[in-house]
Amino acid sequence: MSKSLIFLAPGYEEVEMLTVVDMLRRAGIEINMVSITGTLEVTGSHNITIKADQLFANADFNSTDMLILPGGMPGTNNLLAYKPLTDKLVEFNNSGKAVAAVCAAPSVLGALGILNGKNATCYPGFEEKLTGATYQKQPVVRDGNVITSRSMGTCIDFAGEIITLLDTKAKADDIKEKIIYNDTY
């Protein structure tokens, strides 16, 4: 079974984080919400407090297949400022493991050099922070081991692409069908 970690910093975008967690758990993919603060309870950008599954210090990176960053402000800036996380993102990318970010959070990947030579997307206005990337105005962009997405409104597609990478497209489509994402199913 694939395993992933999603990181909660003060000011994260709650819906972006929860959509990914919900859809991956529906798909049978293990995902843990990890607080980068000293407490499990982390308050998001819309003043919603969620209890993480674990603290960063207790996260098992050795058996993890993907690291995921929700956007939101000031959450994105807080993620970038947390060196233990940025070190892990670089380590994962350098070893070919998957990383994903949505909304403003692809700017973290840009700042770390992870987007060099890749196609990527982000929330409008953050394009210049995708250092080294070719910006694509698409809901979700997957380039090798990196997945980026534009915003809360693209999170079902974002989570679907994560499921596709960690499992199969058929599994992602099945989850989308079950949540009645698109009437064409």
Side-chain angles (χ1 to χ4, degrees):
M1 173 194 289
S2 294
K3 182 178 177 184
S4 55
L5 302 173
I6 191 164
F7 298 91
L8 283 63
Y12 66 94
E13 173 32 75
E14 298 94 340
V15 173
E16 291 170 357
M17 188 277 296
L18 285 172
T19 299
V20 172
V21 171
D22 180 275
M23 287 182 61
L24 268 63
R25 288 184 179 173
R26 287 174 191 251
I29 296 170
E30 184 178 342
I31 182 166
N32 285 309
M33 298 177 290
V34 179
S35 170
I36 68 164
T37 71
T39 179
L40 289 176
E41 292 185 348
V42 186
T43 302
S45 61
H46 298 96
N47 206 30
I48 300 169
T49 301
I50 299 205
K51 185 177 180 183
D53 298 310
Q54 61 193 156
L55 299 175
F56 188 90
N58 300 328
D60 176 10
F61 290 94
N62 292 328
S63 66
T64 296
D65 302 296
M66 177 181 270
L67 304 181
I68 305 166
L69 306 178
M73 284 300 194
T76 295
N77 293 335
N78 291 328
L79 292 170
L80 181 59
Y82 191 64
K83 187 161 174 29
L85 173 60
T86 59
D87 288 347
K88 286 294 181 188
L89 289 163
V90 170
E91 177 186 317
F92 264 59
N93 181 65
N94 289 347
S95 65
K97 285 187 165 184
V99 296
V102 60
C103 197
S107 65
V108 173
L109 305 181
L112 298 174
I114 291 172
L115 298 179
N116 286 336
K118 297 202 178 280
N119 294 303
T121 195
C122 62
Y123 190 79
F126 282 81
E127 298 88 351
E128 295 299 318
K129 296 184 182 237
L130 301 180
T131 307
T134 301
Y135 174 74
Q136 305 289 314
K137 187 178 179 181
Q138 299 294 324
V140 179
V141 175
R142 177 176 163 192
D143 192 336
N145 64 314
V146 178
I147 300 172
T148 54
S149 189
R150 295 190 77 204
S151 69
M152 177 182 76
T154 63
C155 276
I156 290 174
D157 288 329
F158 178 56
E161 192 61 35
I162 292 169
I163 294 166
T164 297
L165 179 65
L166 295 177
D167 196 309
T168 64
K169 182 172 181 346
K171 176 63 89 170
D173 289 346
D174 179 58
I175 298 302
K176 287 181 180 182
E177 180 178 349
K178 287 179 179 172
I179 63 170
I180 312 174
Y181 169 63
N182 185 334
D183 284 342
T184 61
Y185 286 115

